[in-house]
């Protein structure tokens, strides 16, 4: 396990996560697929970021370095297939809901995970799970949220009927569950081939995605779990660059981050520090315009007297002499 530990947040005791990361990746030539990088981050780390709100995250795989703290599990025997792996991970969970994910989902995010859970919790007990369907209508049972009790019940039944779970496909489980579906083409995109990985790497560099992707990568790399308003910080950088000098932009944003950390961290601290710095930059720019000079106020200060000429210092008033 790594030293990074996500802070507690509301709802972390409601669901756990099981991430399956032990496949053979035959279509990638046996490459360790969860370690393949998209946008500078391992595919596994991208999925772990999406389920950061889980109380416990279990990765079914041989241990490896990760950006977030996880528990490790392994099916017995190793390579027993997805159903056996899911059962092995589930044994380490205690929450009433479980998010089951594969480790090759480059575009899965916390919003989709929350959407799955919200749909399941709103179902008032009639569904055992909610999963994502891909654009062709195919179910994705490893982009899904389940009631843990239903999973345990059906896994136990299948294990008895088939003398274990080794080699059983996931459809044996999902066929026995009451499931509802949501559509999310991006979240359901998985990386089975090198062409898929190339497509994912290309997409995150498109104009509309590159900044969000970069910020997410930096936060993972630095162990920062903080949501910030990117537009707010870009506006600050623009104000500092235009109002002061171009090098002022990176230096100012660094100082804002440092000030926010000194103030206890959190989005509110970043917002307040950015607001103050932006206002300062605008005042700085105002001083450079001639019309910004204040008009003279005769009552604001005593009139400056001319320097005394020759003979100064002699008393010439009525009291003289």
């Amino acid at each position: 396990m790594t030293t990074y530990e996500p802070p507690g947040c509301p709802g972390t005791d409601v669901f756990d996560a099981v991430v399956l990361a032990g496949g053979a990746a035959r279509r990638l030539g046996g490459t360790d697929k969860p370690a393949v990088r998209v946008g500078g981050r391992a595919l596994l780390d991208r999925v772990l970021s999406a389920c950061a709100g889980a109380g416990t995250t279990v990765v079914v795989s041989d241990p490896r370095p990760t950006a977030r703290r996880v528990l490790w599990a392994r099916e017995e025997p190793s390579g027993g297939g997805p159903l056996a792996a899911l059962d092995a991970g589930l044994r380490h969970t205690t929450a009433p809901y479980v998010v089951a994910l594969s480790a090759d989902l480059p575009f899965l995010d916390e919003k989709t995970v929350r959407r799955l859970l919200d749909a399941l919790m709103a179902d008032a007990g009639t569904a055992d799970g909610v999963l994502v369907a891909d654009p062709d209508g195919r179910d994705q049972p490893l982009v899904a949220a389940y009631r843990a009790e239903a999973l345990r019940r059906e896994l136990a039944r299948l294990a008895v009927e088939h003398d274990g779970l080794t080699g059983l496909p996931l459809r044996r489980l999902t066929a026995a569950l009451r499931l509802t579906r949501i559509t999310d083409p991006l979240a359901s995109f998985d990386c089975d081939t090198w062409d898929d990985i190339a497509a994912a790497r290309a997409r995150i560099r498109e104009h509309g995605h590159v900044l969000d992707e970069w910020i997410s990568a930096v936060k993972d790399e630095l162990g920062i779990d903080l949501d910030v308003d990117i537009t707010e910080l870009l506006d600050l950088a623009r104000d500092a660059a235009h109002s002061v000098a171009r090098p002022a932009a990176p230096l100012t944003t660094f100082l804002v981050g440092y000030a926010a950390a000194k103030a206890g961290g959190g989005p509110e601290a970043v917002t307040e520090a950015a607001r103050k710095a932006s206002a300062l930059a605008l005042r700085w720019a105002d001083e450079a315009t001639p019309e910004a000079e204040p008009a003279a106020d005769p009552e604001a200060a005593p009139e400056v007297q001319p320097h005394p000429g020759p003979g100064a210092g002699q008393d010439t008033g009525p009291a003289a002499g």
Side-chain angles (χ1 to χ4, degrees), residues 1 55 60 63 118 154 181 192 194 202 205 221 243 251 272 289:
M1 291 187 289
V60 186
D118 287 346
E154 294 304 324
R181 292 152 182 83
D192 288 329
W194 287 113
R205 285 170 170 76
E221 190 71 17
S243 302
L251 292 172
E272 179 62 12
T289 59

Side-chain angles (χ1 to χ4, degrees), residues 68-96:
R68 295 177 181 271
R69 184 179 291 271
V70 302
L71 296 178
W72 298 97
R74 206 69 171 108
E75 72 275 23
E76 293 291 343
S78 178
L83 209 58
L86 180 59
D87 179 66
L90 192 64
R91 294 176 184 274
H92 295 273
T93 66
T94 58

Side-chain angles (χ1 to χ4, degrees), residues 4-140:
Y4 181 86
E5 186 166 10
C9 61
T12 52
D13 59 338
V14 171
F15 80 100
D16 292 330
V18 176
V19 181
L20 274 57
R26 293 182 180 85
R27 283 188 279 179
L28 293 180
T31 296
D32 182 14
K33 182 164 63 170
V36 172
R37 296 185 180 276
V38 173
R41 291 189 290 163
L43 284 170
L44 175 57
D45 283 335
R46 297 178 73 89
V47 173
L48 294 179
S49 292
C51 58
T56 299
T57 298
V58 186
V59 179
V60 186
S61 168
D62 292 330
R64 68 190 64 210
T66 56
R68 295 177 181 271
R69 184 179 291 271
V70 302
L71 296 178
W72 298 97
R74 206 69 171 108
E75 72 275 23
E76 293 291 343
S78 178
L83 209 58
L86 180 59
D87 179 66
L90 192 64
R91 294 176 184 274
H92 295 273
T93 66
T94 58
Y97 301 96
V98 173
V99 173
L101 305 168
S102 61
D104 61 351
L105 303 167
F107 303 125
L108 184 72
D109 59 20
E110 287 187 89
K111 290 181 180 178
T112 300
V113 170
R114 191 73 255 171
R115 185 180 169 203
L116 287 165
L117 289 163
D118 287 346
L120 182 56
M121 293 176 190
D123 197 76
T126 60
D128 296 320
V130 178
L131 51 75
V132 170
D134 70 16
D136 296 322
R138 292 187 294 264
D139 288 348
Q140 301 296 316

Side-chain angles (χ1 to χ4, degrees), residues 77-291:
S78 178
L83 209 58
L86 180 59
D87 179 66
L90 192 64
R91 294 176 184 274
H92 295 273
T93 66
T94 58
Y97 301 96
V98 173
V99 173
L101 305 168
S102 61
D104 61 351
L105 303 167
F107 303 125
L108 184 72
D109 59 20
E110 287 187 89
K111 290 181 180 178
T112 300
V113 170
R114 191 73 255 171
R115 185 180 169 203
L116 287 165
L117 289 163
D118 287 346
L120 182 56
M121 293 176 190
D123 197 76
T126 60
D128 296 320
V130 178
L131 51 75
V132 170
D134 70 16
D136 296 322
R138 292 187 294 264
D139 288 348
Q140 301 296 316
L142 292 181
V143 194
Y146 299 97
R147 298 186 190 277
E149 181 182 1
L151 284 185
R152 292 189 176 95
R153 180 189 70 235
E154 294 304 324
L155 286 169
R157 181 185 61 80
L158 288 168
V160 170
E161 288 183 1
H162 299 273
D163 194 25
L165 299 172
T166 299
L168 292 182
L170 277 168
R171 64 175 178 272
R172 291 291 182 91
L173 173 66
T174 55
L177 296 173
R178 299 167 298 173
L179 301 174
T180 60
R181 292 152 182 83
I182 64 173
T183 301
D184 191 329
L186 206 55
S188 63
F189 182 92
D190 56 1
C191 290
D192 288 329
T193 67
W194 287 113
D195 284 344
D196 293 335
I197 290 169
R201 287 172 171 170
R203 185 185 186 281
I204 66 169
R205 285 170 170 76
E206 293 174 1
H207 177 69
H209 311 290
V210 64
L211 279 179
D212 285 335
E213 289 286 347
W214 171 247
I215 293 300
S216 295
V218 171
K219 289 195 295 185
D220 260 11
E221 190 71 17
L222 301 180
I224 299 170
D225 200 4
L226 174 68
D227 288 328
V228 295
D229 188 331
I230 295 177
T231 301
E232 180 180 79
L233 292 179
L234 288 176
D235 286 346
L236 165 62
R238 178 203 62 206
D239 290 342
H242 292 176
S243 302
V244 184
R246 291 187 66 84
L251 292 172
T252 304
T253 50
F254 163 77
L255 292 172
V256 162
Y258 183 79
K262 292 278 286 183
E268 297 83 2
V270 174
T271 294
E272 179 62 12
R275 182 192 64 78
K276 289 180 178 179
S278 185
L280 173 62
L282 295 176
R283 293 198 304 270
W284 183 288
D286 284 345
E287 292 179 9
T289 59
E291 60 271 19

